[in-house]
Amino acid sequence: MANKSKFQAIKGTRDLLPPETQLWNRVEQTAHEVFATFGFGEIRLPVLEPTELFARSIGLNTDVVSKEMYTFEDHDVQGLEIIRSHLLRDMDLHPGPGDAQYITAGLNQFLAAANHEIKRGTLSRTPEIATALLRLEQDMNFFAGVSPTMVLAEYGSQTNETRATLQAMEWGMEVALRPEATASVCRAYIEHGMQQLPQPVKLYYMGPMFRRERPQKGRYRQFYQIGAEILGGSDAPAIDAELIEMLMTFFGKLDLEGTTLHINSIGHSAPNCRRGYVEKLKAELEKVKDKLGPDSQHRIETNPLRVLDSKLEFEQGVIEKLPHIADHLCDDCAKHYAAVKQHLELRGVIYRENWRLVRGLDYYMRTTFEITAQGLGSQNAVCGGGRYDGLVELLGGPPTKGIGFAIGEDRLILSLQEGAKSATASGAKPNSPLATRHSPLVYIAWMGERAYATAVRAAKDLRNAGFSVELPPTELKFGKALGQADKLGARFALILGDNEVSEGLWTLKTLADGTQTKLPEPAIIEHLRKSLSPVWAGFSPSPGL
Ligand code: HAM
């Protein structure tokens, strides 16, 4: 049914429309409720952050930082930027000594504009900017003195130098659309001195994230996460287990089916722990390099652990024979991992150990986990998380323990929808959070001016009582109005004509079976409440029902 219009949502982004958004709200509301019972408070974070924040925390060799971030230079000197790009273009178009006048004029204009921006305070005179401007002034003098007979080589090398100086000038800060929010939470923890608060600090967030990935089912360039982080205090294994318990409670409340919790420990970065393992892994990988694809071959150098993540069919046999990290953990990490498992068992959380679960971001240590769910195809991880002691310190804060997770909300919704489809196909009732109906409960069919005034009042009263009401804005014959009510999927029609208004008795029609009853105005709300089955109550957006 999609129409081709001039403008379309950018590749990898999409509109979320009603009634589906009702399910999104229900999921988010459940998160607010469940997370609050575990003592978490909501943090709302900016979507833009310094690129450096992610480069430092997620790691330069990760896919997210090296390929997928949306970054730009944030500055207030658009005019200067335009002059620079024109000047660079002029230098390409006029490559000979005879053209030096164009470059001289361009540099003159550029220097005047830069000094103007400095005076206005929109460009700061950093030592780098001051040096570049001085150099460009000297270059301008050079070009002003160029004669048409100058040797091309000398002219060309000066042009290259000027071009390099211009290109290297940075006006503002490199910023990124956040690809995740853990780094932002740590930044906020440091910025607001949250280490002074009683520890640990438990925060959760929800909102859009951006990664330039190849879009496919369950993978978008703008996607949504619901995440939680515990910062500060101890690294007691019970914290890891309780966080995972909260996650499973949340999924349980949503009746998310077919979930599997995968856990692992990737130790810490000491020579007798992960670092030692990575060296061994690298050595083993070198031996089987020829049997791996180009991506994995590249990763042997940049990030050997990530080879374990490969989903390529032909690499699986080779990877399965590689050494396991569990056999190379130091005593402390091994003890911590064993205790996390015990604490999960104590809480009745069922897990599956997965020695290949290394996660794609550099900040993890010790506990890592992922949850897969049904109906998602190859992108079946609905949540990922782990421990990241040391990240706050890496970002300039005090030594701080940390652990958290992020749920891919798009995937969670997809999985819930897939679950509902198969439940419907097998004749079972759909789960309540999936009831994404946006139909009005009551459609008010009115005729006549007096009736309209009553209808407006009735709509107000019913909505105040929490019922969803559709009030047609113009008069419709009753037959047409009832047809409309049917089309919208309303459960009841409240019929208001001259008779009803003068008698003070309103007609309420149940659309499914056509039965009608006449009731005095005050009894209508009570009648609606009573006639709602529990199933309907589950679907209703009203908290009062
Ligand atoms: P992540 O594994 O990169 O971890 O992402 C978490 C979840 O976000 C994934 O399991 C997936 O459900 C969803 N997700 C990721 N990329 C996409 C995408 N392109 N389209 C749709 N969904 C996607 C993190 O982001 C960490 N910050 C999690 C964390 C919090 N670790 C500790 N605290």
Side-chain angles (χ1 to χ4, degrees):
M1 266 193 301
N3 281 321
K4 270 262 174 246
S5 71
K6 186 165 156 51
F7 295 110
Q8 279 160 16
I10 291 169
K11 187 174 170 190
T13 73
R14 62 205 177 117
D15 304 306
L16 301 170
L17 306 173
E20 196 188 82
T21 40
Q22 212 177 338
L23 176 54
W24 283 72
N25 285 333
R26 179 68 66 106
V27 162
E28 288 165 14
Q29 189 52 38
T30 307
H32 288 299
E33 285 163 15
V34 172
F35 296 177
T37 65
F38 282 80
F40 283 72
E42 186 184 5
I43 180 166
R44 298 197 183 194
L45 299 154
V47 169
L48 286 175
E49 293 275 10
T51 305
E52 178 64 13
L53 174 70
F54 302 114
R56 225 196 254 188
S57 50
I58 300 173
L60 289 174
N61 283 325
T62 57
D63 286 351
V64 172
V65 170
S66 67
K67 305 187 208 152
E68 297 167 0
M69 271 208 291
Y70 287 92
T71 59
F72 62 93
E73 205 182 333
D74 185 26
H75 62 75
D76 204 8
V77 289
Q78 267 73 11
L80 191 58
E81 180 55 43
I82 291 170
I83 298 172
R84 168 163 71 173
S85 59
H86 278 253
L87 183 51
L88 286 167
R89 200 199 49 196
D90 272 1
M91 293 174 82
D92 290 338
L93 286 178
H94 301 289
D99 301 323
Q101 52 180 327
Y102 296 106
I103 300 175
T104 311
L107 278 171
N108 192 22
Q109 193 191 4
F110 179 81
L111 288 167
N115 286 321
H116 176 66
E117 298 293 0
I118 289 173
K119 259 198 216 127
R120 272 204 322 151
T122 39
L123 179 65
S124 29
R125 199 183 163 81
T126 59
E128 293 79 22
I129 296 269
T131 313
L133 291 178
L134 192 68
R135 209 172 281 155
L136 290 173
E137 203 174 326
Q138 289 162 357
D139 294 357
M140 183 177 69
N141 293 334
F142 169 87
F143 286 109
V146 162
S147 74
T149 55
M150 180 181 254
V151 184
L152 197 58
E154 191 194 339
Y155 178 84
S157 82
Q158 179 60 56
T159 313
N160 285 344
E161 265 180 42
T162 306
R163 193 185 280 120
T165 308
L166 278 168
Q167 279 167 339
M169 289 182 86
E170 286 178 5
W171 316 133
M173 188 190 257
E174 269 287 316
V175 298
L177 286 176
R178 62 180 182 190
E180 61 111 53
T182 307
S184 305
V185 174
C186 292
R187 194 242 334 117
Y189 179 86
I190 301 167
E191 191 171 332
H192 302 285
M194 289 192 222
Q195 65 269 23
Q196 310 297 342
L197 301 174
Q199 305 290 303
V201 174
K202 300 182 187 180
L203 299 167
Y204 73 94
Y205 52 85
M206 41 187 85
M209 309 290 156
F210 304 84
R211 296 183 194 176
R212 197 187 284 104
E213 294 197 77
R214 198 168 45 77
Q216 64 180 89
K217 180 180 172 188
R219 191 160 73 190
Y220 310 98
R221 291 182 168 183
Q222 174 173 339
F223 60 99
Y224 295 80
Q225 283 188 343
I226 300 179
E229 316 288 348
I230 304 179
L231 288 164
S234 88
D235 59 356
I239 293 182
D240 307 36
E242 194 185 73
L243 182 78
I244 295 174
E245 182 191 4
M246 174 170 95
L247 196 47
M248 300 319 276
T249 306
F250 171 61
F251 287 151
K253 283 257 169 0
L254 293 174
D255 289 326
L256 180 69
E257 282 166 7
T259 53
T260 307
L261 165 67
H262 304 258
I263 62 165
N264 191 21
S265 173
I266 57 166
H268 77 305
S269 64
N272 65 338
C273 200
R274 187 173 64 232
R275 210 179 321 152
Y277 169 71
V278 171
E279 269 163 34
K280 187 159 175 62
L281 181 68
K282 202 168 166 184
E284 292 300 315
L285 283 168
E286 289 292 352
K287 290 185 204 159
V288 291
K289 195 169 179 174
D290 298 346
K291 299 191 180 124
L292 298 170
D295 278 354
S296 292
Q297 285 185 358
H298 179 65
R299 284 181 172 145
I300 299 177
E301 293 311 318
T302 57
N303 202 345
L305 276 180
R306 291 288 288 163
V307 176
L308 304 182
D309 251 1
S310 161
K311 304 236 162 39
L312 294 176
E313 199 60 50
F314 71 93
E315 293 184 338
Q316 299 309 307
V318 179
I319 293 172
E320 279 305 322
K321 293 197 198 90
L322 292 168
H324 289 205
I325 192 160
D327 303 329
H328 296 81
L329 294 179
C330 68
D331 281 353
D332 283 350
C333 287
K335 266 192 212 139
H336 191 272
Y337 185 38
V340 169
K341 288 186 276 185
Q342 257 176 11
H343 279 278
L344 284 173
E345 283 152 28
L346 190 72
R347 289 166 169 76
V349 176
I350 297 165
Y351 59 83
R352 184 182 292 172
E353 285 185 81
N354 180 351
W355 71 275
R356 288 174 56 180
L357 181 63
V358 291
R359 312 270 303 124
L361 316 169
D362 278 1
Y363 50 62
Y364 291 112
M365 49 95 67
R366 290 195 170 165
T367 313
T368 54
F369 55 93
E370 251 174 38
I371 293 159
T372 52
Q374 66 179 4
L376 293 174
S378 64
Q379 301 304 313
N380 66 349
V382 77
C383 172
R387 181 162 279 288
Y388 51 83
D389 302 351
L391 178 55
V392 168
E393 200 176 352
L394 184 75
L395 297 175
T400 308
K401 309 289 179 197
I403 183 167
F405 65 75
I407 297 161
E409 195 176 355
D410 310 71
R411 293 186 192 174
L412 170 58
I413 301 272
L414 262 176
S415 183
L416 288 169
Q417 288 166 333
E418 292 293 328
K421 265 191 227 155
S422 48
T424 314
S426 66
K429 275 191 185 159
N431 300 325
S432 60
L434 290 160
T436 58
R437 61 195 298 164
H438 204 66
S439 315
L441 178 71
V442 183
Y443 186 98
I444 304 184
W446 60 272
M447 273 188 83
E449 223 165 279
R450 272 178 71 211
Y452 182 62
T454 309
V456 169
R457 188 163 48 80
K460 191 171 187 172
D461 291 347
L462 288 171
R463 285 177 182 141
N464 274 341
F467 299 112
S468 150
V469 174
E470 188 67 24
L471 177 67
T474 51
E475 188 175 86
L476 297 175
K477 295 247 160 63
F478 282 129
K480 191 150 189 206
L482 291 175
Q484 193 74 11
D486 254 345
K487 248 193 231 157
L488 290 174
R491 293 259 329 253
F492 301 96
L494 179 62
I495 299 172
L496 295 176
D498 284 343
N499 283 351
E500 278 80 5
V501 174
S502 42
E503 282 171 23
L505 286 175
W506 297 359
T507 304
L508 191 70
K509 180 169 179 156
T510 307
L511 291 163
D513 58 14
T515 53
Q516 276 188 204
T517 143
K518 280 204 159 198
L519 292 166
E521 178 184 345
I524 291 277
I525 288 179
E526 204 42 43
H527 181 86
L528 283 172
R529 278 216 173 104
K530 280 202 188 120
S531 58
L532 293 174
S533 70
V535 175
W536 170 257
F539 291 176
S540 166
S542 158
L545 294 178

